[in-house]
Amino acid sequence: MPFAKRSLGQNFLQDPNTARRIVAALEIAPGDHVLEIGPGRGALTEWIVAAEPARVQALEKDRDLAQALPERWPVLEVLAGDALAHPWESIDSPSYKVVGNLPYNVASPLIWDFISRAGDYGRAVFMVQYEVARRLTAEPGSSDYGALTAWVRNFAATTLLFKVGPAVFRPKPKVDSGVVLFSPLADRPGQKAARALAGLLRACFQKRRKQLSNILKSQWENGIGQWFAEQGLSGTLRPENLSPRHFRDMAERFGDHFFT
């Protein structure tokens, strides 16, 4: 198999036990369609294929790996391309399950896109930098809670499954990793609400140390102040004190006027 490419942020998983645990979290069943993002040398692929889903696809940007992987697993359908440009809307069935050891440098924007654009899927399991895993699973009021947290948690429930040390990778990263389970919510924002929510989160968390009444000062007298009062919320709160649902409700109510 080809060597790791630093330009692509590749850190290949070497430990079979860790790979087995990640794939087990997908709960692959007969009839499932599994899509693996960035299979690398196939540490996860081996366990996915062994579970015998109905269909196995792998999305791989590295051309050398994209050519080598089907030689080892002929059943594997390789999609050569960049996950950041993938049409996630094509995922539209609960039988879809998605997994990947994501490069640290693209994990956050990739998850941001996937979680909001995928039509429907059964579950997803991603290994990311541990700091990002903490952000994805943080609760309001914590230092890890941010725009990524509030965005993702409006589309999926997240669970930090386990922590992974650097020793199981080649080359070894300088930080720990974390494995996160994503379970799609039945009630997710529509396209229009999602655009408003994204704008609201950017506006708030770019000034996260300020009070919300100051961040939203220009809109406060146009209804947002009243909304805060209705919710029993103080304008002295900071962005990390609002729940994901609070942000969604505000975006849906005021998005046409303030955040699109």
Side-chain angles (χ1 to χ4, degrees), residues 87-101:
W88 297 114
E89 294 83 358
S90 62
I91 295 179
D92 59 0
S93 169
S95 66
Y96 259 102
K97 293 179 177 176
V98 186
V99 66
N101 169 24

Side-chain angles (χ1 to χ4, degrees), residues 26 49 98 118 129 214:
L26 276 182
V49 171
V98 186
Q129 185 175 342
N214 289 328

Side-chain angles (χ1 to χ4, degrees), residues 211-233:
Q211 296 179 358
L212 284 159
S213 58
N214 289 328
I215 296 172
L216 303 171
K217 185 176 181 179
S218 62
Q219 300 96 358
W220 198 257
E221 300 302 324
N222 293 323
I224 288 186
Q226 179 61 34
W227 179 87
F228 268 72
E230 292 171 0
Q231 301 298 316
L233 299 171

Side-chain angles (χ1 to χ4, degrees), residues 1-249:
M1 283 286 184
F3 292 107
K5 295 181 175 67
R6 182 175 296 183
S7 62
L8 296 179
Q10 293 174 335
N11 297 93
F12 296 135
L13 179 62
Q14 302 290 306
D15 179 44
N17 187 53
T18 301
R20 177 189 58 78
R21 292 177 69 189
I22 292 171
V23 174
L26 276 182
E27 298 183 356
I28 297 172
D32 280 347
H33 179 167
V34 179
L35 173 63
E36 182 181 2
I37 301 173
R41 293 177 177 171
L44 300 182
T45 313
E46 182 172 358
W47 293 95
I48 295 169
V49 171
E52 298 184 350
R55 189 177 183 187
V56 187
Q57 292 182 307
L59 180 57
E60 180 55 66
K61 185 176 181 179
D62 187 321
R63 293 183 180 180
D64 295 330
L65 288 170
Q67 293 177 353
L69 287 164
E71 295 177 3
R72 184 173 178 185
W73 295 286
V75 69
L76 184 65
E77 301 174 37
V78 176
L79 308 175
D82 188 345
L84 290 173
H86 190 70
W88 297 114
E89 294 83 358
S90 62
I91 295 179
D92 59 0
S93 169
S95 66
Y96 259 102
K97 293 179 177 176
V98 186
V99 66
N101 169 24
L102 305 184
Y104 292 161
N105 59 342
V106 300
S108 293
L110 198 161
I111 290 172
W112 182 288
D113 283 352
F114 164 76
I115 211 75
S116 59
R117 290 169 49 200
D120 201 4
Y121 60 100
R123 55 176 42 202
V125 179
F126 296 134
M127 181 154 58
V128 297
Q129 185 175 342
Y130 189 64
E131 177 184 347
V132 175
R134 288 173 59 92
R135 288 166 55 199
L136 288 165
T137 56
E139 294 299 328
S142 71
S143 59
D144 293 316
Y145 184 84
L148 179 65
T149 323
W151 175 260
V152 168
R153 297 276 284 279
N154 271 294
F155 294 92
T158 57
T159 305
L160 178 56
L161 298 180
F162 56 92
K163 189 176 184 178
V164 181
V168 300
F169 297 95
R170 294 293 183 276
K172 293 182 183 179
K174 296 180 180 180
V175 296
D176 292 325
S177 299
V179 178
V180 180
L181 169 66
F182 299 79
S183 303
L185 299 178
D187 178 25
R188 287 170 277 180
Q191 187 176 19
K192 184 177 180 180
R195 287 198 302 269
L197 177 61
L200 175 59
L201 292 174
R202 282 194 295 270
C204 289
F205 282 96
Q206 284 174 354
K207 303 176 181 178
R208 63 178 299 151
R209 294 187 178 182
K210 292 189 175 183
Q211 296 179 358
L212 284 159
S213 58
N214 289 328
I215 296 172
L216 303 171
K217 185 176 181 179
S218 62
Q219 300 96 358
W220 198 257
E221 300 302 324
N222 293 323
I224 288 186
Q226 179 61 34
W227 179 87
F228 268 72
E230 292 171 0
Q231 301 298 316
L233 299 171
S234 170
T236 62
L237 294 173
R238 290 175 171 79
E240 65 265 25
N241 300 124
L242 264 60
S243 70
R245 186 70 207 200
H246 281 139
F247 282 111
R248 176 177 173 180
D249 288 348

